[in-house]
Amino acid sequence: NVIHGWKRLSFDDKDWDKALRIAKGAPKNMVKYDVNEGWYLMPSSLPQMELRTERIQKIRLAEGFDIPEGFPSRPVDLTIPANNKVKFILDQTYLTNAYLTMLFSKGKDAKVVIGYADCLYTKFPTEKGNRNDIEGKEFRGRIDEIIANGYDKQEYTTLFWRTYRYIQIEVETKDTPLIIHDIYGTFTGYPFELKAKLDTDIHDIKEIMDIGWRTARLCAFDTYFDCPQYEQLQYVGDTRIQGLISIYNSGDDRLLRNAINQIDYSRQPEGLVLSRYPSNTPLIISPFSVWYI
């Protein structure tokens, strides 16, 4: 059953299922608590991840309807007529990690497909080329799919964050129009604060610094990532470089300390560490154990 209004203070939750006790939730390494206890509570060594509203900057393509002025950089009602198919591509103008939120009304049984990508691809040969260009290219990326239930003031937010510069939205309505009230992102990531400063008269170097710091931030969540869009794994070689960058530029060593501990947890009987961890697929790259040291 669909539950409505559960965010309101007046919501009546008396019919909700009660939580089930699965263990005592005892603190780890406390006297008398470690016996026959399979679940532990441990304090996190990391701060809460940053959450910040991030407006989408531009619309780059619209097929099948006219886009109202101001959309999507500010909330504007976007009405998609009944029994219609439309497609549009939004441009954040830079790569980001964000939870995407769409607010919408009506449009019962309308299908909404939301795709996320860092760029568009040429058809043949398959190349990224200039990532600013979309003309003559095709969209490839992960998707979320929504079927509208027809109610007013519906809200959809991804359960986990998505990595994107471009967002493609395809809508197929049935017998009633779908009204999209707003689409925006909520940026997230490890809360590094840039404290280093680069003094140079060379403009290109300043841009490289900005691009590099954005890259470092997008590759840091509750672990370091080799890439936020694909594997999302903490490789020793990548992490060593990322840790030096984050310490040098922010002075915050908590995520690196966390990584050092986690990689140690992967240590094998003969002494080697896994090349990436946490991961449920073991992979050893021998030089990475030396880099870990």
Side-chain angles (χ1 to χ4, degrees):
N1 294 329
V2 177
I3 299 173
H4 300 286
W6 59 272
K7 288 186 176 182
R8 291 195 292 266
L9 292 175
S10 59
F11 179 76
D12 185 358
D13 62 357
K14 69 177 184 300
D15 294 328
W16 279 23
D17 292 337
K18 302 300 181 183
L20 299 177
R21 180 183 294 274
I22 58 175
K24 291 180 292 184
K28 187 174 175 61
N29 296 327
M30 295 290 287
V31 176
K32 298 182 181 179
Y33 277 124
D34 283 357
V35 180
N36 300 322
E37 178 57 66
W39 291 75
Y40 295 114
L41 294 178
M42 297 178 63
S44 174
S45 61
L46 301 178
Q48 290 293 313
M49 298 299 106
E50 180 179 351
L51 293 170
R52 167 171 44 85
T53 299
E54 191 172 53
R55 300 299 311 184
I56 302 168
Q57 299 299 308
K58 296 180 180 179
I59 183 156
R60 296 288 300 274
L61 175 76
E63 295 180 355
F65 71 120
D66 295 326
I67 295 292
E69 184 178 355
F71 181 87
S73 59
R74 59 184 177 85
V76 178
D77 280 358
L78 181 66
T79 301
I80 299 156
N83 300 307
N84 206 346
K85 290 184 179 180
V86 303
K87 178 175 74 175
F88 54 99
I89 295 178
L90 308 178
D91 186 356
Q92 184 68 53
T93 72
Y94 53 84
L95 197 68
T96 190
N97 295 337
Y99 298 93
L100 188 80
T101 295
M102 185 173 82
L103 308 178
F104 58 99
S105 294
K106 305 190 186 309
K108 182 173 175 55
D109 296 327
K111 182 170 73 172
V112 182
V113 180
I114 307 173
Y116 313 89
D118 62 336
C119 66
L120 276 66
Y121 293 80
T122 57
K123 294 181 181 180
F124 185 82
T126 300
E127 296 175 346
K128 292 184 176 182
N130 188 330
R131 300 189 187 196
N132 293 324
D133 299 334
I134 68 169
E135 291 77 12
K137 293 185 174 183
E138 58 184 22
F139 194 98
R140 301 178 187 177
R142 71 174 300 167
I143 64 170
D144 294 317
E145 187 172 304
I146 307 166
I147 303 297
N149 60 20
Y151 291 97
D152 288 335
K153 298 181 179 179
Q154 292 296 293
E155 176 180 333
Y156 170 77
T157 300
T158 55
L159 295 178
F160 195 63
W161 48 266
R162 306 290 186 241
T163 300
Y164 60 84
R165 170 178 170 176
Y166 294 103
I167 301 170
Q168 177 175 277
I169 299 179
E170 298 176 280
V171 181
E172 181 178 356
T173 54
K174 300 299 183 182
D175 294 334
T176 57
L178 178 74
I179 304 170
I180 298 177
H181 303 298
D182 198 7
I183 301 175
Y184 63 90
T186 301
F187 170 82
T188 190
Y190 186 90
F192 281 125
E193 295 181 26
L194 180 61
K195 295 182 179 179
K197 181 180 179 183
L198 175 66
D199 289 322
T200 177
D201 295 328
I202 305 174
H203 178 71
D204 288 353
I205 297 296
K206 292 181 179 179
E207 286 199 331
I208 290 172
M209 175 67 178
D210 292 340
I211 292 169
W213 183 241
R214 181 184 299 119
T215 302
R217 292 225 56 199
L218 295 184
C219 293
F221 195 63
D222 50 1
T223 67
Y224 287 108
F225 288 154
D226 60 328
C227 171
Q229 188 170 12
Y230 299 103
E231 288 186 284
Q232 298 181 357
L233 289 171
Q234 184 170 246
Y235 278 87
V236 175
D238 305 61
T239 295
R240 176 180 176 273
I241 298 170
Q242 291 167 270
L244 293 172
I245 290 170
S246 55
I247 286 179
Y248 195 89
N249 286 279
S250 73
D252 188 337
D253 66 357
R254 289 173 291 182
L255 191 59
L256 181 56
R257 288 175 179 270
N258 184 68
I260 289 171
N261 287 332
Q262 287 181 327
I263 295 166
D264 182 48
Y265 299 157
S266 78
R267 189 180 303 277
Q268 302 301 294
E270 72 276 14
L272 296 177
V273 296
L274 298 183
S275 64
R276 60 194 187 190
Y277 197 79
S279 172
N280 64 356
T281 304
L283 175 65
I284 291 177
I285 303 176
S286 300
F288 280 31
S289 293
V290 180
W291 288 353
Y292 173 65
I293 294 170

